Amino acid sequence: MNQIWQMLADNFSFLLNGVLTTVGLTILGFVGALLIGTVVAVFRVSPITPLRVVGTAYVEFFRNVPLLTLLILIVFGLPDIGLLIPLFWCGVLGLVLAGSAFICETVRSGINTISVGQSEAARALGMSFGTQLRLIILPQAFRTMVQPLVNNFIGILIGSSLAAAVGVSDITNVTQQLNIRYAEAVVLFLLSGAVYLVFALGAGRIGSWLEGLVSTSRIGSAR
Amino acid sequence: MGPERLAFLSVYRQERFSRRGAGFAILVYLDKMATPLVEVRDVHKAFGTFEALRGVDLDIGRGEKVALVGASGSGKSTLCRCINRLETITSGTITFDGQPLPQEGKALAEHRAQVGMVFQAFNLFPHFTALENVTLAPMRVRKLAKADADAEARELLARVGLSDKADNYPAELSGGQQQRVAIARALAMHPQLMLFDEPTSALDPEMISEVLDVMSELANEGMTMLVVTHEMGFARHACDRVCFMDEGQIVEQAAPDDFFDNPQSERAKDFLSKLLHH
């Protein structure tokens, strides 16, 4: 037992860096995926056919390719075309591409829960497609999307562990390195598992809080 | 309108502000007043294989109030929605203020801004207060300053009898109140034409009259209106003309008293007799 405490104490900053890298990957990945996913969702509901085609192709590609495959292609493929980006950012890029395909579908189904009458009323007042989305459709759609977005967030958090396989030193990668040195797989992976569990639970709590917040700000329609 | 007259008119319009302007301006104005605000010509609209409109002709004069009546599914709402291009037409032409309806884009948005629309389901924006519902389009489409938009919106809400509900959300209002906010919202854009698509059909009987009162007042003030309705009392007393639609065509149009007292077509007689029996 003392040996294990000793191991953790000796490698505290190493582990902490791993945790921070995981947090960084997840937050950057989620924010990027949310932005791009929203844009792609707008493409998919736009009245312009080429945009819809591009949006659909994007989703069908990135949703249906394993994240690990994507990460390997990014890490080993981009240098081949002369793009040398740090490993951490390769991980973020992979998470953004894969995450945005899922978030796009969350946003699109959120948009579809808003009745056609809302967009007709906005159009009848002379609002452009962009204004309609920004002021009328998306603000209402995001309220219905809080819990599905928490799912997407957790997906990205857990998916970030695959970045370990291509050499990003996130908590999973750090854990594996310590395991090779100390051969304490069970303890170490229980620990890294707990890190993911804590963050995922935290995200769930923040989601519930956000949901309460947006529903009190529309007391009216909550009735 | 022949091509010669169109060319003539366009010269008039260009000359309007020139030195010779004043006389021309009056002529142009008289000519403009003489042309209908809306001209619908041989309009067809198909939803797949179903033909909702089958060759509709309709003029709406400036300041005129036209009631569109008929059985459900006769194409009344579709015709109403075609006029601000919420539905695209399959063939035929619709002109507004002498210009054909624009294609999708900025020009269409500008056209829609000039045409107010009131829906059966109100379609207020639930995440905005009554006041914000009214100020939204003037601020975001017409780029009005917030203070000006607010002041005007409060006036409009007062006009529809809802000064005290400005800060309420739509779900806190009754159906009749919501519909009156929707009318104020449409009026805030200073439309040249108001389209009412069955504005009272979703309301409880006791709320219908509060909405019809607001509409009658609007009619008295000279607003051009096209009203799709099942409220025959309103059609008779507040409108200048009644158009009766059946199976995608305007079968009969007449002054309200003539239409209700002395319908010409069999289908109109049949429709009216069914109304009177209940």
Side-chain angles (χ1 to χ4, degrees):
Chain A
M1 198 65 198
N2 276 335
Q3 278 174 323
I4 289 167
W5 288 119
Q6 193 58 47
M7 168 184 81
L8 295 180
D10 290 348
N11 296 286
F12 180 74
S13 68
F14 190 45
L15 281 163
L16 187 67
N17 272 330
V19 171
L20 291 178
T21 304
T22 291
V23 170
L25 280 173
T26 307
I27 289 177
L28 290 170
F30 180 73
V31 170
L34 186 60
L35 292 175
I36 293 179
T38 305
V39 171
V40 179
V42 169
F43 278 23
R44 290 203 72 181
V45 299
S46 92
I48 303 158
T49 311
L51 287 186
R52 281 205 305 274
V53 171
V54 169
T56 308
Y58 182 94
V59 169
E60 293 305 349
F61 182 78
F62 288 112
R63 191 172 61 168
N64 296 325
V65 171
L67 178 56
L68 187 56
T69 310
L70 209 56
L71 286 168
I72 289 171
L73 287 174
I74 290 168
V75 170
F76 296 100
L78 289 188
D80 283 352
I81 56 165
L83 263 176
L84 206 60
I85 47 178
L87 271 182
F88 174 77
W89 291 103
C90 287
V92 171
L93 181 62
L95 289 169
V96 167
L97 291 175
S100 59
F102 287 94
I103 288 186
C104 166
E105 292 303 276
T106 301
V107 174
R108 194 166 68 99
S109 70
I111 288 173
N112 287 339
T113 62
I114 308 304
S115 82
V116 183
Q118 289 289 308
S119 99
E120 284 184 350
R123 275 190 284 160
L125 288 165
M127 289 185 202
S128 65
F129 180 69
T131 311
Q132 254 184 68
L133 273 174
R134 203 159 43 81
L135 297 177
I136 309 299
I137 309 296
L138 288 178
Q140 293 185 64
F142 273 109
R143 291 176 180 177
T144 68
M145 279 158 34
V146 174
Q147 288 306 337
L149 282 177
V150 168
N151 279 346
N152 291 142
F153 180 87
I154 293 173
I156 290 171
L157 170 69
I158 287 173
S160 75
S161 67
L162 288 170
V166 291
V168 181
S169 15
D170 73 335
I171 183 67
T172 300
N173 184 290
V174 165
T175 309
Q176 176 60 5
Q177 288 186 40
L178 292 181
N179 179 35
I180 289 167
R181 219 182 315 155
Y182 296 92
E184 286 286 2
V186 174
V187 172
L188 283 166
F189 278 94
L190 274 177
L191 183 73
S192 76
V195 170
Y196 289 102
L197 189 70
V198 166
F199 284 132
L201 287 173
R205 295 298 291 272
I206 290 174
S208 304
W209 171 76
L210 266 179
E211 207 167 40
L213 198 71
V214 292
S215 70
T216 46
S217 75
R218 50 161 191 176
I219 15 164
S221 21
R223 282 212 307 208
Chain B
M1 192 177 339
E4 307 82 15
R5 180 138 167 272
L6 270 178
F8 195 50
L9 256 182
S10 77
V11 172
Y12 267 166
R13 285 183 181 142
Q14 284 160 18
E15 294 280 337
R16 199 166 158 186
F17 299 109
S18 73
R19 258 178 301 158
R20 292 175 288 169
F24 273 122
I26 293 167
L27 278 175
V28 168
Y29 179 74
L30 290 176
D31 198 284
K32 191 173 148 102
M33 292 315 284
T35 51
L37 183 61
V38 179
E39 291 174 278
V40 177
R41 289 288 172 275
D42 194 29
V43 162
H44 289 254
K45 168 68 185 178
F47 294 101
T49 55
F50 174 70
E51 271 201 290
L53 298 178
R54 301 187 300 143
V56 173
D57 292 289
L58 175 69
D59 284 351
I60 304 174
R62 290 160 203 275
E64 199 182 13
K65 300 103 186 70
V66 178
L68 213 47
V69 304
S72 297
S74 58
K76 313 181 294 289
S77 287
T78 306
L79 177 58
C80 183
R81 291 161 57 84
C82 284
I83 291 173
N84 71 353
R85 218 167 172 279
L86 282 182
E87 303 289 355
T88 52
I89 56 180
T90 313
S91 67
T93 56
I94 299 179
T95 62
F96 179 78
D97 205 7
Q99 305 290 322
L101 291 198
Q103 298 294 307
E104 284 295 336
K106 273 213 163 103
L108 180 60
E110 179 48 35
H111 165 70
R112 284 175 175 150
Q114 292 180 33
V115 177
M117 179 137 191
V118 175
F119 299 86
Q120 180 176 352
F122 328 135
N123 295 344
L124 290 181
F125 306 128
H127 55 310
F128 288 117
T129 63
L131 186 76
E132 289 165 340
N133 265 277
V134 181
T135 58
L136 197 64
M139 283 169 60
R140 303 306 182 122
V141 178
R142 295 254 195 259
K143 311 292 178 201
L144 220 64
K146 184 176 184 336
D148 298 339
D150 276 358
E152 195 183 347
R154 286 190 192 278
E155 260 170 50
L156 283 167
L157 286 175
R159 200 165 136 194
V160 298
L162 292 172
S163 318
D164 54 331
K165 300 291 183 191
D167 299 320
N168 287 85
Y169 283 88
E172 298 167 329
L173 304 176
S174 72
Q177 291 170 335
Q178 287 191 51
Q179 193 60 301
R180 285 185 282 153
V181 173
I183 293 173
R185 177 175 71 174
L187 290 176
M189 295 298 279
H190 301 285
Q192 294 193 55
L193 165 72
M194 285 285 284
L195 302 172
F196 290 88
D197 186 4
E198 303 204 19
T200 56
S201 300
L203 295 174
D204 294 339
E206 65 267 34
M207 291 172 186
I208 289 177
S209 69
E210 66 186 50
V211 171
L212 291 180
D213 287 346
V214 168
M215 289 168 59
S216 300
E217 201 177 303
L218 197 59
N220 287 334
E221 287 163 11
M223 176 62 76
T224 311
M225 293 164 57
L226 177 67
V227 186
V228 176
T229 189
H230 293 291
E231 294 299 325
M232 297 304 150
F234 179 83
R236 184 162 195 155
H237 300 298
C239 294
D240 302 318
R241 182 154 48 107
V242 176
C243 295
F244 171 70
M245 284 191 78
D246 192 46
E247 294 184 351
Q249 288 174 319
I250 294 182
V251 178
E252 189 169 338
Q253 43 182 318
D257 287 341
D258 293 342
F259 176 76
F260 288 108
D261 296 337
N262 190 16
Q264 299 298 307
S265 64
E266 280 308 313
R267 284 183 282 181
K269 283 178 193 166
D270 186 47
F271 174 72
L272 288 173
S273 72
K274 277 176 189 157
L275 285 179
L276 297 177
H277 280 163
H278 295 289

